[in-house]
């Protein structure tokens, strides 16, 4: 099955948002089932892989910003994309903060998407 870099990008964005939503639910103190923890980690891993695939593709490399070119950043190289890559590079269970009693409490992370998020596929019929 052929997937375009644009498809990889959108899968990465979606999996990132799903992973962060599950992470936020866990951080809020809601009871989380072990299957949800596994699902969150699976979304995180899939997001990291898909975003990496989009960036490393031939089309992704053509869109990579070159310093001094004057070109505006484009997906998959937007600031938001970099935040997603960083967020998905680390397992949320390794994050936390000490609450004064020596206990770790997960700190929810959030990557807000701009209204124009996406990478258009030109040349496809709609």
């Amino acid at each position: 099955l052929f997937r375009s870099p644009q498809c990889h990008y959108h899968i990465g964005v979606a999996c990132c948002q799903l992973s962060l939503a599950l992470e936020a639910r866990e951080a809020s103190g809601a009871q989380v089932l072990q299957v949800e923890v596994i699902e969150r980690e699976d979304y995180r891993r899939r997001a990291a892989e898909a975003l990496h695939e989009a960036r490393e593709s031939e089309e992704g490399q053509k869109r990579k910003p070159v310093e001094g070119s004057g070109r505006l950043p484009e997906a998959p190289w937007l600031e938001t994309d970099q935040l997603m890559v960083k967020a998905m590079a680390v397992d949320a269970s390794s994050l936390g903060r000490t609450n004064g009693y020596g206990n770790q409490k997960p700190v929810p992370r959030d990557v807000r998407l701009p209204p124009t998020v996406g990478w258009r596929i030109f040349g496809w019929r709609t």
Side-chain angles (χ1 to χ4, degrees):
L1 175 67
F2 174 76
R3 290 190 184 157
S4 70
Q6 294 90 347
C7 291
H8 285 291
Y9 175 76
H10 291 108
I11 289 167
V13 170
C15 287
C16 174
Q17 293 300 305
L18 289 168
S19 176
L20 292 174
L22 287 170
E23 183 181 307
R25 186 169 170 269
E26 185 176 349
S28 74
Q31 185 176 6
V32 179
L33 302 173
Q34 183 61 30
V35 70
E36 293 173 300
V37 173
I38 293 168
E39 187 177 44
R40 174 183 43 84
E41 175 56 21
D42 186 48
Y43 282 135
R44 185 201 64 77
R45 182 189 53 74
R46 287 172 55 199
E49 289 172 1
L51 291 169
H52 176 77
E53 185 75 25
R55 283 182 160 195
E56 292 303 313
S57 70
E58 185 177 338
E59 288 183 62
Q61 289 297 304
K62 287 178 185 176
R63 297 169 73 101
K64 189 173 185 175
V66 177
E67 192 158 331
S69 70
R71 283 184 37 204
L72 293 174
E74 303 175 278
W77 299 100
L78 299 171
E79 183 178 335
T80 304
D81 301 328
Q82 187 59 28
L83 292 173
M84 287 188 287
V85 167
K86 284 182 180 178
M88 296 297 100
V90 179
D91 180 6
S93 64
S94 66
L95 300 174
R97 63 176 179 219
T98 304
N99 65 7
Y101 296 103
N103 298 328
Q104 292 287 323
K105 181 177 180 184
V107 178
R109 299 175 293 158
D110 186 29
V111 176
R112 298 202 185 270
L113 300 176
T116 57
V117 70
W119 184 355
R120 289 190 175 176
I121 302 174
F122 292 104
W124 285 39
R125 295 183 196 184
T126 55

